[in-house]
Amino acid sequence: WGVFDVAEGYRVAEMRLRYSVCTTPGPVREVVQTECKRTEVKVNWEPPESDYGAPVVGYKVSIQLDPEPGAPPDELRWHTLVECTRSPKPVYVISQLSGNRQYVLEICAVNKVGPGDPLKCQVSTAPVPPDPPQKPWIDENRDGCLNLAWKPSPSDGGLPITAYRVRMRRLLGATTFNQWHGMGPREH
């Protein structure tokens, strides 16, 4: 652009302007859950293909929460875990989770303009110990043998129950007469 002296009417300088246009970065790619514990998960991902003119400075990570009590079940609630990670490394550890559960995460790359397009992914925490079965009862008592029975555990903790551990101990002060008194078959 020419710069002119208004009074004299001639060109006194030339001005050049250099500018760059930038916008928010593209979406992150290939999110992978790399570690799985009962209360935490670790996720890694690939940076966006394009930062669209400004380098990625970190990542925004959000988690989907259950709906508020009384709210419609399809109402989504998001909780931001971090607005912008301290490092541009594409990794994050989410802790204080419940075991044997699936979560939906939303990850965005962040540059000086702001967060880019989100990518949603699903992660799972590790199984938890199963609930104990209900109180056992003596199903049959004959010839010095007992057959115990119980209803299965209400929750398997996330993995199929393949066996139960049964422990028996002698009651102090028990005699043959009173040892099993009152513990016969019951209706369930």
Side-chain angles (χ1 to χ4, degrees), residues 139-154:
D139 194 41
E140 187 178 347
N141 176 9
R142 68 177 164 158
D143 300 329
C145 295
L146 296 175
N147 285 332
L148 293 178
W150 58 86
K151 295 192 185 272
S153 300

Side-chain angles (χ1 to χ4, degrees), residues 84-132:
C84 185
T85 57
R86 293 181 190 168
S87 166
K89 292 182 180 176
V91 61
Y92 195 74
V93 176
I94 300 108
S95 58
Q96 297 180 346
L97 301 174
S98 298
N100 190 36
R101 184 149 177 227
Q102 292 188 346
Y103 293 91
V104 176
L105 301 178
E106 191 175 76
I107 303 170
C108 309
V110 178
N111 64 13
K112 68 181 182 180
V113 180
D117 295 331
L119 179 70
K120 291 183 179 148
C121 65
Q122 197 168 34
V123 295
S124 301
T125 52
V128 295
D131 290 342

Side-chain angles (χ1 to χ4, degrees), residues 28 32 43 55 60-62 64 69 91 97 115 138 146 153 164 167 174:
V28 300
V32 177
V43 289
K60 178 181 176 180
V61 181
S62 302
Q64 186 178 340
V91 61
L97 301 174
I138 298 174
L146 296 175
S153 300
Y164 287 92
R167 294 185 186 175

Side-chain angles (χ1 to χ4, degrees), residues 3 11 21 23 38 52 56 69 72 87 106 111 114 134 137 151 181:
V3 179
R11 182 182 239 166
V21 177
T23 185
R38 285 187 188 156
Y52 291 112
V56 172
S87 166
E106 191 175 76
N111 64 13
Q134 295 177 4
W137 66 90
K151 295 192 185 272
H181 182 70

